[in-house]
Amino acid sequence: MVELPPGKLRNELLREVVFPYLGVEDAKVIYGPREGFDSAVLEYDDEHYLVIATDPTLGVPRETFGFFTYHFASSDVAVFGANPRWLVVDLLLPPGTGREFLRTAMEDLHGECLKYGSSIIGGHTGVYPSVSEPTSTTTAIGVVRKHELKLPLAKPGDKIIVTAKVGLEFAVSAAYFREGELSKILPKKELMRLKRSFYFETAVPDALVARPYVRGMHDATEGGLTALHEIADNSGVGFRVYAEKLHLDPLVGKVLAFYGLEPWSVSSTGTLIAITPPENADSLIVELTKNGILAFELGEFTEEKDRILVENNEEKPFPEFREDPYVGLYGV
């Protein structure tokens, strides 16, 4: 028996054991399962598409459960240019779960729905002995005008604009699940600040602000900025990234340094990668900043197919995604 590796399945496994078995073809499906595309796009009417995404929430700190039940899937809808309008939510809970946990999770989920104009239209809720930790699966659905659909595809010359949350997901999770270790380098106040930073692990507000200025967007989730490879593969382009342009929160930098990690391939959920025509780059950064979202230009997509990281005036291949250290953080 060949065991599957932990974490999100890599693209080669998806191609081999998932994508060949997708049921019947349907002309209403404009974009179905595809590497680098975290949402499906369906024909809705003559002027609109439906954008649909689904994501699980598990292995997260309990106080973040309701927040992420909304934002993991909703971020994938937002980066395709659509407001997350409808949600279908399954909540699977282990025996012994308290009523107050469920109430708090629902209150948090409800609060995010009110903030972004979303409605929960169905789902399933239950307690089962085979479930070892609270787990939710959310399907988010939005509607977008056809000419406003944003796909994670680039053209040569497009700028790579990134919101300044690279590595935040890993650092926040480490603050929760490895607090004893991190207390060696971070005082209690900094650990608490990191823990509360989970509210930034969403691409929804970033994408809704950015969409008039971009060609496409992507949420840098598991694998972080190595998502640039998927964008380049799907677009037939290369890219150049400049290490000195990377903005890393100092606390995140301390955590990554403590674990001996580079920022390029660590989980960065909520970090928006915006594919931006060069004439829009400055305006996008200004608009994001006006909305309280720090962003920076990290590089550009190129006609040459090379994927280059320029660091200390040296050119080298941009790192590939091999294994995300985030997977080993929780439950250990």
Side-chain angles (χ1 to χ4, degrees):
M1 179 182 69
V2 179
E3 293 186 2
L4 296 175
K8 188 176 180 180
L9 290 189
R10 306 297 177 259
N11 288 334
E12 57 270 20
L13 267 174
L14 292 175
R15 288 193 295 266
E16 182 181 346
V17 299
V18 176
F19 290 165
Y21 310 106
L22 298 177
V24 300
E25 294 186 6
D26 188 325
K28 290 283 188 181
V29 180
I30 307 303
Y31 294 99
R34 181 173 174 177
E35 299 163 23
F37 280 46
D38 292 328
S39 290
V41 178
L42 276 65
E43 188 81 23
Y44 184 64
D45 59 27
D46 290 342
E47 297 182 357
H48 300 88
Y49 291 126
L50 277 181
V51 178
I52 305 173
T54 191
D55 257 317
T57 300
L58 72 166
V60 300
R62 287 197 162 214
E63 68 187 79
T64 71
F65 186 77
F67 179 86
F68 288 136
T69 293
Y70 180 85
H71 281 280
F72 283 162
S74 294
S75 290
D76 289 338
V77 168
V79 298
F80 272 59
N83 286 70
R85 183 170 175 182
W86 303 294
L87 304 182
V88 178
V89 181
D90 286 357
L91 296 171
L92 306 181
L93 306 171
T97 301
R99 178 189 292 256
E100 281 310 303
F101 171 81
L102 178 58
R103 183 186 299 278
T104 298
M106 289 305 304
E107 287 175 348
D108 291 345
L109 175 57
H110 175 66
E112 298 306 308
C113 287
L114 293 181
K115 188 182 299 183
Y116 295 104
S118 308
S119 300
I120 298 173
I121 60 171
H124 178 88
T125 307
V127 177
Y128 301 100
S130 58
V131 177
S132 60
E133 63 177 310
T135 301
S136 66
T137 300
T138 301
T139 299
I141 307 167
V143 179
V144 62
R145 292 186 179 275
K146 290 185 175 180
H147 69 278
E148 294 176 346
L149 178 70
K150 304 298 179 180
L151 299 176
L153 299 173
K155 292 184 178 181
D158 285 345
K159 298 298 183 180
I160 302 168
I161 308 298
V162 179
T163 54
K165 296 180 271 188
V166 175
L168 182 65
E169 180 182 16
F170 178 89
V172 170
S173 298
Y176 275 103
F177 298 122
R178 299 295 182 88
E179 182 174 358
E181 291 179 358
L182 287 184
S183 63
K184 300 173 184 175
I185 62 164
L186 299 180
K188 188 173 182 179
K189 181 182 292 188
E190 291 185 342
L191 280 168
M192 290 304 298
R193 189 195 131 195
L194 265 183
K195 287 182 177 182
R196 300 308 296 167
S197 295
F198 76 83
Y199 285 113
F200 297 109
E201 290 181 50
T202 172
V204 174
D206 312 41
L208 297 183
V209 170
R211 59 188 175 182
Y213 302 91
V214 304
R215 190 183 313 282
M217 297 178 280
H218 198 288
D219 184 3
T221 55
E222 191 173 341
L225 292 174
T226 60
L228 291 168
H229 286 294
E230 291 182 330
I231 296 171
D233 288 341
N234 288 330
S235 307
V237 298
F239 59 82
R240 293 175 68 86
V241 164
Y242 301 91
E244 69 272 12
K245 294 186 176 184
L246 176 69
H247 181 96
L248 203 62
D249 183 287
L251 275 184
V252 173
K254 286 183 182 180
V255 173
L256 296 185
F258 178 73
Y259 288 106
L261 299 173
E262 295 292 329
W264 311 110
S265 61
V266 295
S267 284
S268 300
T269 291
T271 302
L272 185 72
I273 300 173
I275 305 158
T276 311
E279 63 271 18
N280 292 350
D282 289 342
S283 298
L284 171 59
I285 292 173
V286 168
E287 192 64 26
L288 286 167
T289 302
K290 283 167 54 178
N291 284 271
I293 302 167
L294 181 63
F296 56 93
E297 181 182 318
L298 185 61
E300 65 274 335
F301 293 96
T302 61
E303 190 167 356
E304 297 78 18
K305 303 301 190 293
D306 298 328
R307 290 93 183 272
I308 301 297
L309 174 62
V310 181
E311 189 170 22
N312 298 323
N313 295 318
E314 178 186 348
E315 294 186 1
K316 52 188 176 183
F318 193 80
E320 299 273 356
F321 179 34
R322 305 198 185 282
E323 181 177 318
D324 197 320
Y326 170 80
V327 174
L329 273 184
Y330 68 87
V332 179

